[in-house]
Amino acid sequence: MLKPDQKLAILLHEGIRGIHGKTGLTLLRYSEAPIVAVIDKQCAGESLPKLTGIHRDVPIVASVEEALSYHPEVLAIGIAPSGGILPDICFEEIKQAVASGLSVINGLHTRLATHPEIQALLKENEWIWDVRQEPAGLGVGTAKARSLSCRRVLAVGTDMAVGKMSTCLELHRASWRRGMRSKFLATGQAGIMISGDGIPLDAVRVDFAAGAVEQLVMRYGEDFDILYIEGQGSLLHPGSTATLPLLRGSQPTHLILVHRAGQTHIRNLPHVVIPPLSEAIKLYEMVGSAAGAFGEVKVVAIALNTGHLDEAAAKDAIEQVKKETGLPCTDVVRFGGDLLVDAVMDGR
């Protein structure tokens, strides 16, 4: 629904410094759409590049009302709070945006297109895109993706929100620069907003989740040489249900393990310990191949998230992981994805 030249404002209250701004920060890093304002009352007036390290000089303002002076056409909801529920303060901002003529991209579970207060404010040519909607015509998974000849690279993680989407986007970009026929397959709201296509996996009923992934992979598998499939969740997280259908539906040929440097337990769950990376690798390879029921699949590289470290510490952490696992490792956001693309190409 979003046209390439439509100007965006991103609603990101308390998301720049907080932990729920993943969607908006990803849009800022990777979207090709013109972004004219970021709305975060906590950081209004500050420098976005200094706060985030994202080299995009976009003003931070305190409200939708202030953002209107930059003439946005679309408001993108950039926060992703636990459970995907829209906070009341953001709902009031969205109403003001719609009343002012803006369309809305909504990646949360809270539906807006059918909300009576929003519907009453919509004007001609305005639209609401509720991204988290189950696709039509789904069936159960059948492992059909094994028949494809393309490389199917799935990012898997030691926790949620460690950088699986960023890893896939960076590897796709690195492959594209080499002239490879590469495709990024989005499975979450931010990835769909960036690419304009994909499946919101956490909106799909569990019985059809593997089938939804399979349908997406089969749609593109004949036309591309490499599919980079956005990972979701983690097999290590007690609240995550998304990783298994991704493994089943995509039938990956390669896995990239994504980990935040130095993290020893699931975020906010200190009683759930992250095992040594060598053990996590064994887990993903065993589950990915279903103990031999499916094709063998290997973790071919580690994508290490070092965003919280300075450059020297980041390089030290990368070298430590290389020694621990014997696998290629880098921070793809910080240092580029070419090393891991080499690992994918050499790993088959």
Side-chain angles (χ1 to χ4, degrees), residues 13-339:
H13 282 314
E14 300 183 7
I16 294 177
R17 284 198 172 97
I19 62 173
H20 299 306
K22 171 184 169 183
T23 299
L25 295 175
T26 301
L27 286 172
L28 285 161
R29 190 181 297 279
Y30 294 110
S31 177
E32 295 181 4
I35 300 172
V36 297
V38 173
I39 303 161
D40 186 342
K41 61 181 181 180
Q42 190 179 58
C43 300
E46 297 188 57
S47 165
L48 183 74
K50 287 182 180 179
L51 287 171
T52 66
I54 298 171
H55 300 296
R56 197 162 187 162
D57 193 14
V58 179
I60 305 173
V61 299
S63 66
V64 164
E65 183 177 3
E66 290 185 39
L68 293 175
S69 65
Y70 296 93
H71 309 293
E73 298 165 271
V74 178
L75 180 73
I77 300 175
I79 57 168
S82 180
I85 305 300
L86 185 68
D88 290 341
I89 183 176
C90 292
F91 184 66
E92 294 303 316
E93 292 271 50
I94 291 164
K95 287 200 298 182
Q96 181 170 6
V98 174
S100 301
L102 275 63
S103 297
V104 177
I105 304 176
N106 170 34
L108 301 179
H109 283 300
T110 301
R111 295 287 182 90
L112 293 178
T114 56
H115 195 288
E117 290 186 61
I118 300 296
Q119 283 187 321
L121 295 170
L122 280 173
K123 301 177 179 64
E124 188 178 0
N125 297 322
E126 277 186 283
W127 45 262
I128 307 293
W129 180 16
D130 287 325
V131 175
R132 276 177 164 162
Q133 297 187 64
E134 183 180 85
L138 296 179
V140 299
T142 63
K144 191 186 299 183
R146 289 179 65 186
S147 67
L148 296 170
S149 60
C150 63
R151 286 173 166 84
R152 299 177 301 282
V153 184
L154 175 65
V156 294
T158 55
D159 195 0
M160 297 182 179
V162 290
K164 297 179 287 294
M165 177 181 57
S166 297
T167 294
C168 287
L169 285 166
E170 292 288 349
L171 295 185
H172 166 57
R173 285 183 170 185
S175 299
W176 194 259
R177 285 194 295 269
R178 296 186 185 193
M180 299 177 181
R181 295 196 309 160
S182 170
K183 176 73 174 176
F184 166 73
L185 299 187
T187 61
Q189 67 269 23
I192 294 171
M193 290 179 190
I194 291 166
S195 66
D197 188 23
I199 54 167
L201 189 56
D202 61 2
V204 176
R205 289 165 292 172
V206 67
D207 282 355
F208 302 109
V213 175
E214 181 175 284
Q215 184 183 88
L216 180 65
V217 170
M218 295 302 296
R219 187 188 311 159
Y220 293 107
E222 299 287 355
D223 298 325
F224 293 90
D225 296 326
I226 306 177
L227 303 180
Y228 289 108
I229 303 144
E230 179 189 0
Q232 299 290 336
S234 171
L235 290 178
L236 304 177
H237 196 296
S240 174
T241 58
T243 306
L244 189 58
L246 279 162
L247 287 162
R248 294 291 178 262
S250 68
Q251 294 290 302
T253 57
H254 304 73
L255 300 174
I256 303 291
L257 181 63
V258 186
H259 176 65
R260 182 179 288 105
Q263 186 173 344
T264 58
H265 61 78
I266 299 299
R267 189 176 66 182
N268 300 329
L269 298 175
H271 60 288
V272 182
V273 175
I274 294 175
L277 293 185
S278 57
E279 295 302 312
I281 290 167
K282 291 177 185 177
L283 169 67
Y284 275 109
E285 291 179 345
M286 178 66 76
V287 176
S289 66
F294 304 137
E296 183 183 39
V297 58
K298 294 290 185 182
V299 174
V300 297
I302 311 295
L304 196 65
N305 180 339
T306 67
H308 54 296
L309 304 175
D310 63 31
E311 187 163 326
K315 290 180 177 179
D316 288 344
I318 288 168
E319 290 305 315
Q320 180 60 39
V321 169
K322 287 181 180 177
K323 292 177 183 177
E324 179 184 346
T325 64
L327 293 173
C329 174
T330 192
D331 183 327
V332 296
V333 173
R334 201 167 201 160
F335 302 118
D338 285 305
L339 180 68

